[in-house]
Amino acid sequence: VGKRRRRRPRMERERRRAAGWEDRISELPDALRLQILSLLPLKCAIRTGALSSRWRDLWEQRWPVPSSLRLRVPPGPSGAAGAQAQLAAVDRRGRRRVDVFSLAFHAGQLTQADLKRCVDYAAACGVEDLQLRLDGGGARGARGGQRRAGALAVHFPVGSPLLARLSVRGLHLTASANAMVATLEVIHLHSVSITDAALRRVVAACPCLRDLELRYCRHLRRIDFTTVGAANLRSLTVVDCSRTTELRVPAAPRLRSFRFSGPFLCSNLFSGVGDSFQDLYLCSGGPEAGLPPTNLPSAVPHLANITTLTICSIALQYVSASLATILKETNLRRLKELQLLMFGMANSNLADIFSFLKTCSCPQLERLFVQLPTNTHDSFTRNYLDVAEEEQPEDGLENLRLAKMTNFKGHHNEMRLLDFLLTKASCLKKLFLVAPKEDHPQGLRKIQPDVLPLSRKAEILERASAGTQIVFSGPDSSHAQPLHSEVFIRF
Amino acid sequence: MAATPADASSSSSEAVVGGEKSNKMITLISSDGESFEATEEAAKMSVTIKHMIEDGCADDGIPLPNVPAKILSMVIEYCNKHAADADDTNKHVADPADADEDDDNNNNNASAGEKEDLKSFDASLVAVDQATLFDIILAANFLSIKGLLDLACQKVADDIKDKSVEEVREIFKIENDFTKEEEEAVRKENAWAFNE
């Protein structure tokens, strides 16, 4: 009986082999695996890299090397001269398949004809991931709506019919009507001057569009996809498209993630999302004087399925105001991670935080990140008028394990918030207090004195319970990053 | 018939085609000792076998120690079908200046119909279990039969296309030997391709 047991693993393998359980595909000679990989669209080929270690780097060799072309033209006079040499080298490469074609250059180095030549070459090589970047072209259109004469332009549809990913920066983008690019899934436009109508035409041409990112596209006034549809959209990012006053997205049942940074506007987005909407980033882009009309922040308490939320202090102000009219409590019952971007930490800001946590209870919250403002002056004001202050929430942080406060300076309201966390979050395991970066003139680096005096630190440590570890760290620490680690503004 | 250059060339090419089409049969011996016969024309679809014939090594039958009988019979079936098709194509191409329009249309219809037949034949040939499919790939590779290799590889690619990583692993029994960190790193490198 003992012998039978020892032999079992080998028998198992052999039985499996007999039943056809062998991994035949990984045993094929590389040349054959490469042939199979060359028959896949780029996205599927990239995924094979995660199958097992034997597949990790194979897909990158499916075309004769190099399968990706990255042209970089550095700034300055040497760059312009080198540009022509690089273009000639590309011509010599000949027309063969390319996976990624990436071109980055500076204003004045390439002409419109050069740009067209590159784009046409990439298209002829069946490019699937096209990246075009121009720095210094001033295409954000901060002033006026007219395209500058001589601004370099790209016309959509661009690249090959196999295009899956398009990233354009700093150029002007025009678009034909009634185009169809059935494979295009990811579009990132950064500082691109594009009109409302052209954007609609681009979205209409891409029924498989999953990920749309619009940053600093300052010619847009109304982002309106009602007539063109965006049925497959999973992720939408709009950053500082500062002239946009409206965002209309019809039913987006598959939308998972929405990130918005910039002056708040009106949108019907939230009414069209479904159960898969999990992830929201809402930031006004900076401290503002007025509060323009918007319906975005007030929708937050009703997003019952979100798991990750980043919200700024301006949005919290709106939410506070809207909560005054809500009679019963709402429940962000799936929220696991919350990040607060505080432009100010005055008494009213702290009150907004408390009122948010009280009314939209987050019983499952596990991680809390707070970006505090960098002002060196403590904005706490003593309450001389005996007006009732916002009370701390009684409960709701039972599951909080991790908290991190960045730019922590020990100011009064910061300490009050800290106190609240230490007393109410009974399961808190780790609390990170990250010191602010210090801006020294002309990059002088001096030995950084502790922003927090030792006595303050001791005070904090005393308040913590036995199970909580408090970590004081410098500004460059990379502990515990939130999901929304990219914050689109500077603090 | 007027002795137009077209006629002359077509009749002469037909004569050439007729002449070259030898009825010589080649014997192919599978790894398990079974013998199969194929026309020389069909056998020459395999570049490997073509070279052996030309080098005069084919007289006593060609042993193929890498190809089991089950696979060899499928390969020969493929070659027979596609060799006939290549032959017909040559015949039609040889009559470009044929003035008889009806005849031309008939030829075109026939070749369109044959193309459909060929496509469905190809599809059913590779609609087999995985093990057989990989055996076909290896055999087509060893025998250098480009059309069959392309066909079988395309089938595998179709099985991979648009599936998640987990699904592909399951279908092909690939063992995931990455650590959690390694797999995350791979997925992060080109996150856009992995986002669901």
Side-chain angles (χ1 to χ4, degrees):
Chain A
V1 170
K3 275 190 187 161
R4 220 180 288 152
R5 279 218 193 102
R6 247 181 284 138
R7 258 193 248 137
R8 194 164 290 168
R10 201 196 308 160
M11 275 172 64
E12 194 57 49
R13 250 182 286 140
E14 282 179 0
R15 196 181 308 139
R16 280 187 176 184
R17 202 167 288 150
W21 264 81
E22 234 182 314
D23 173 7
R24 298 282 308 267
I25 194 172
S26 305
E27 297 296 325
L28 289 177
D30 281 358
L32 292 180
R33 286 198 288 159
L34 286 173
Q35 176 162 354
I36 293 171
L37 288 172
S38 72
L39 297 168
L40 293 171
L42 178 60
K43 184 174 158 184
C44 302
I46 293 176
R47 284 192 185 174
T48 64
L51 288 172
S52 77
S53 58
R54 292 174 74 176
W55 287 87
R56 179 163 188 169
D57 298 313
L58 195 62
W59 66 269
E60 283 180 294
Q61 302 166 45
R62 66 201 190 119
W63 310 121
V65 163
S67 63
S68 293
L69 277 183
R70 296 174 200 274
L71 278 83
R72 296 278 172 276
V73 187
S78 61
Q84 293 306 318
Q86 288 200 55
L87 292 183
V90 162
D91 281 340
R92 277 196 305 274
R93 182 184 178 268
R95 307 239 149 151
R96 37 196 185 83
R97 285 290 300 263
V98 75
D99 279 341
V100 179
F101 185 94
S102 160
L103 171 64
F105 60 107
H106 291 73
Q109 290 176 328
L110 294 180
T111 63
Q112 180 69 45
D114 291 332
L115 179 60
K116 183 169 191 317
R117 185 172 149 203
C118 288
V119 170
D120 288 347
Y121 174 81
C125 294
V127 67
E128 298 191 56
D129 181 352
L130 180 62
Q131 303 167 13
L132 304 170
R133 174 174 175 157
L134 164 61
D135 284 296
R140 286 191 192 183
R143 304 212 174 288
Q146 292 303 318
R147 164 157 77 119
R148 278 180 19 192
L152 292 183
V154 173
H155 188 76
F156 184 90
V158 68
S160 74
L162 301 172
L163 195 66
R165 190 161 179 244
L166 175 64
S167 158
V168 181
R169 178 165 175 160
L171 296 165
H172 184 75
L173 187 68
T174 55
S176 307
N178 302 320
M180 173 61 61
V181 190
T183 44
L184 190 49
E185 295 190 7
V186 178
I187 299 180
H188 288 188
L189 304 181
H190 188 311
S191 308
V192 168
S193 56
I194 182 172
T195 62
D196 294 344
L199 180 61
R200 274 198 292 278
R201 289 195 282 268
V202 170
V203 173
C206 307
C208 287
L209 186 61
R210 299 169 76 108
D211 176 355
L212 177 63
E213 209 174 279
L214 303 168
R215 298 197 197 197
Y216 310 107
C217 296
R218 300 223 172 114
H219 286 234
L220 293 173
R221 299 280 191 281
R222 293 180 62 225
I223 300 178
D224 187 345
F225 300 145
T226 317
T227 51
V228 301
N232 262 313
L233 206 55
R234 305 287 203 274
S235 162
L236 178 61
T237 303
V238 178
V239 173
D240 209 359
C241 296
S242 47
R243 290 232 185 74
T244 311
T245 54
E246 240 185 287
L247 173 61
R248 305 202 80 76
V249 180
R254 294 208 178 102
L255 193 68
R256 215 186 25 84
S257 156
F258 177 50
R259 296 184 298 169
F260 185 91
S261 178
F264 288 150
L265 41 63
C266 287
S267 172
N268 66 349
L269 176 77
F270 293 127
S271 52
V273 299
D275 293 334
S276 42
F277 184 63
Q278 287 185 347
D279 175 356
L280 174 63
Y281 175 109
L282 193 59
C283 177
S284 69
E288 272 170 20
L291 297 180
T294 171
N295 64 350
L296 284 183
S298 51
V300 172
H302 305 284
L303 298 170
N305 286 323
I306 47 170
T307 56
T308 311
L309 174 65
T310 296
I311 188 167
C312 73
S313 47
I314 305 285
L316 280 174
Q317 251 181 285
Y318 280 99
V319 172
S320 245
S322 77
L323 288 178
T325 60
I326 293 180
L327 299 175
K328 67 175 173 72
E329 286 180 10
T330 62
N331 196 319
L332 296 179
R333 59 177 180 271
R334 298 235 176 102
L335 193 66
K336 290 239 157 78
E337 182 171 309
L338 177 63
Q339 178 174 212
L340 304 175
L341 304 176
M342 306 305 293
F343 298 120
M345 203 57 180
N347 295 20
S348 60
N349 297 118
L350 187 61
D352 288 338
I353 295 178
F354 286 154
S355 117
F356 177 76
L357 290 176
K358 267 200 302 202
T359 323
C360 315
S361 64
C362 327
Q364 298 298 322
L365 192 65
E366 288 175 11
R367 290 150 64 96
L368 175 66
F369 298 86
V370 185
Q371 284 261 16
L372 295 162
T374 48
N375 50 298
T376 45
H377 150 74
D378 188 344
S379 50
F380 168 70
T381 50
R382 192 165 295 283
N383 191 346
Y384 291 106
L385 296 178
D386 256 353
V387 176
E389 284 184 345
E390 187 72 47
E391 281 174 8
Q392 291 182 0
E394 274 308 307
D395 44 31
L397 295 184
E398 303 89 45
N399 282 307
L400 193 65
R401 302 257 182 283
L402 172 86
K404 178 176 176 185
M405 295 174 72
T406 311
N407 299 331
F408 187 79
K409 302 166 286 307
H411 289 179
H412 194 104
N413 285 327
E414 296 175 9
M415 292 296 291
R416 285 172 69 192
L417 182 60
L418 178 65
D419 214 29
F420 161 69
L421 288 180
L422 291 176
T423 30
K424 298 294 180 180
S426 45
C427 291
L428 190 62
K429 290 237 152 32
K430 272 194 160 157
L431 173 60
F432 291 94
L433 298 173
V434 180
K437 282 196 179 69
E438 282 202 18
D439 275 327
H440 297 298
Q442 288 159 10
L444 286 173
R445 302 200 60 196
K446 55 180 185 174
I447 314 245
Q448 185 168 335
D450 267 343
V451 175
L452 277 182
L454 222 53
S455 58
R456 189 49 73 80
K457 281 190 185 170
E459 209 185 311
I460 293 171
L461 288 170
E462 257 173 55
R463 299 189 202 192
S465 71
T468 309
Q469 183 193 1
I470 300 202
V471 179
F472 295 97
S473 62
D476 296 321
S477 85
S478 57
H479 303 302
Q481 292 297 326
L483 181 72
H484 295 143
S485 52
E486 189 180 8
V487 168
F488 304 104
I489 47 176
R490 290 188 54 194
F491 263 79
Chain B
M1 268 196 304
T4 60
D7 277 352
S9 67
S10 68
S11 52
S12 67
S13 67
E14 244 184 83
V16 166
V17 166
E20 258 190 24
K21 195 179 172 185
S22 72
N23 290 326
K24 185 171 176 200
M25 299 299 282
I26 306 285
T27 308
L28 303 170
I29 309 167
S30 74
S31 60
D32 27 6
E34 266 189 62
S35 286
F36 295 83
E37 288 216 322
T39 63
E40 182 172 322
E41 204 194 337
K44 276 184 168 181
M45 287 207 71
S46 153
V47 176
T48 311
I49 294 179
K50 179 164 177 280
H51 289 160
M52 291 175 93
I53 294 175
E54 285 164 1
D55 290 347
C57 311
D59 299 329
D60 295 328
I62 302 179
L64 301 171
N66 294 356
V67 190
K70 171 183 169 194
I71 306 299
L72 187 53
S73 67
M74 295 172 83
V75 170
I76 291 175
E77 215 190 321
Y78 175 88
C79 292
N80 284 335
K81 268 274 186 170
H82 281 256
D85 171 62
D87 192 36
D88 286 343
T89 312
N90 287 342
K91 276 209 189 120
H92 293 145
V93 165
D95 296 355
D98 199 318
D100 190 346
E101 272 189 10
D102 284 337
D103 207 24
D104 255 356
N105 286 340
N106 286 341
N107 287 345
N108 287 342
N109 285 341
S111 67
E114 277 166 15
K115 276 198 168 52
E116 275 308 306
D117 276 347
L118 215 52
K119 269 177 97 170
S120 57
F121 167 79
D122 283 353
S124 57
L125 187 68
V126 287
V128 292
D129 61 278
Q130 233 182 68
T132 310
L133 187 59
F134 285 118
D135 285 336
I136 292 177
I137 288 181
L138 291 170
N141 186 43
F142 169 67
L143 295 169
S144 285
I145 307 175
K146 183 174 187 310
L148 181 57
L149 183 59
D150 289 347
L151 172 65
C153 286
Q154 183 65 60
K155 175 73 171 60
V156 176
D158 290 341
D159 286 342
I160 295 178
K161 195 173 166 202
D162 292 335
K163 301 229 166 54
S164 72
V165 175
E166 291 77 17
E167 282 170 332
V168 175
R169 281 197 199 119
E170 214 183 292
I171 292 173
F172 292 99
K173 324 286 189 301
I174 301 175
E175 198 195 319
N176 179 9
D177 59 351
F178 282 131
T179 63
K180 198 159 157 258
E181 292 78 24
E182 284 172 343
E183 189 175 340
E184 256 183 61
V186 171
R187 284 170 180 262
K188 238 178 138 177
E189 270 166 34
N190 288 290
W192 72 275
F194 292 97
N195 285 338
E196 272 313 301

